[in-house]
Amino acid sequence: MEDRYSRVRRVFGDDFEKLQNAKILLLGIGGVGSPCLDAMYRTGISDITIVDFDTYDVTNQNRQLGSEAVGEVKVLHMASLYKGVTPIVAKVTPEWVQNFDFEPYDIVIDAIDDMEAKIAVAHKAHTKLLSSAGGAKKIDPTKIHYAPIWDTYGDMLAKGFRDGLKKTGFQGTFLTVFSDEKPICKEMGSLMCVTASFGLTLASLAIRKITGKM
């Protein structure tokens, strides 16, 4: 009998159960994080904890799922749309990272922008981390790649990330989604075709790691 996951099961076979047993922590639920959540949820991962402190603004509507709910807290609204998802209303800061228990999660996905927080997450959870670099100011999703953080190139946010990790003595590694497309504007512009593609790539990496397809 067909159900919502029938076509996913055809892709993964017995490994589909691994998806249903996985625990994911998703940091940031904006232009990258919200499509990432949607893709993972529709693939059969339901034990997802989402962390963000922000509320929706009308300027989010060009790229963020759920953003028609202007004024609402992002994680609370998304948890109402994706049943079973656990929301945590918090700003991801180095202090928050230091005090948070990452141990229960199989995968940690960094879809935040704050560099100090990204560096803190890398130090604490790099063995299970998938991270996003810069999707803003770009228009071509075919320029998106993924690589260990030290092998990223052509992406200013990734460069800042590498530099910050070096300065703090970080010696580990983790996969990072990045784009080597040159920015086409100076202001903070963004297109969903790019930011969502970052999120979908992160979701694919998480799904492949969980099912052993990497």
Side-chain angles (χ1 to χ4, degrees):
M1 182 176 177
E2 294 285 293
D3 64 24
R4 64 179 296 173
Y5 298 126
S6 295
R7 298 189 182 192
V8 178
R9 287 191 180 93
R10 291 170 192 158
V11 175
F12 293 109
D14 292 340
D15 287 331
F16 177 72
E17 186 175 342
K18 297 177 182 177
L19 296 174
Q20 296 206 296
N21 292 332
K23 292 178 66 69
I24 306 293
L25 178 66
L26 175 56
L27 306 175
I29 201 68
V32 172
S34 59
C36 181
L37 169 63
D38 189 74
M40 292 190 296
Y41 192 85
R42 292 180 186 278
T43 305
I45 305 173
S46 58
D47 193 343
I48 305 172
T49 298
I50 55 176
V51 185
D52 205 315
F53 74 103
D54 210 356
T55 57
Y56 288 113
D57 181 86
V58 67
T59 61
N60 301 146
Q61 292 180 354
N62 75 313
R63 67 197 185 283
Q64 296 186 20
L65 301 182
S67 56
E68 283 68 32
V70 172
E72 293 192 26
V73 177
K74 293 180 181 181
V75 292
L76 298 182
H77 181 63
M78 293 300 275
S80 74
L81 300 177
Y82 298 83
K83 303 301 183 184
V85 167
T86 301
I88 296 177
V89 182
K91 183 175 176 60
V92 181
T93 64
E95 293 75 21
W96 183 89
V97 171
Q98 185 63 36
N99 293 319
F100 188 78
D101 183 11
F102 289 82
E103 194 280 329
Y105 301 97
D106 301 301
I107 302 285
V108 175
I109 299 177
D110 156 31
I112 58 178
D113 297 323
D114 183 85
M115 187 55 69
E116 289 187 356
K118 292 174 81 71
I119 291 168
V121 171
H123 274 276
K124 192 161 183 184
H126 67 91
T127 59
K128 54 182 74 176
L129 181 62
L130 299 171
S131 186
S132 173
K137 307 179 183 180
K138 301 174 182 181
I139 62 174
D140 186 355
T142 69
K143 299 294 186 181
I144 294 172
H145 314 279
Y146 68 87
I149 181 61
W150 306 116
D151 296 334
T152 57
Y153 56 90
D155 184 308
M156 289 304 296
L157 194 149
K159 181 181 185 304
F161 204 177
R162 295 194 307 271
D163 291 346
L165 290 170
K166 289 176 184 176
K167 289 178 182 178
T168 55
F170 180 76
Q171 297 183 347
T173 193
F174 50 89
L175 289 179
T176 303
V177 179
F178 67 100
S179 168
D180 63 347
E181 180 183 4
K182 293 181 180 180
I184 65 165
C185 61
K186 293 182 179 179
E187 299 80 10
M188 187 51 72
S190 57
L191 296 181
M192 188 171 186
C193 55
V194 175
T195 58
S197 295
F198 268 74
L200 296 177
T201 303
L202 287 167
S204 172
L205 291 172
I207 290 162
R208 289 154 62 192
K209 285 178 72 71
I210 292 164
T211 57
K213 305 297 185 186
M214 291 291 291

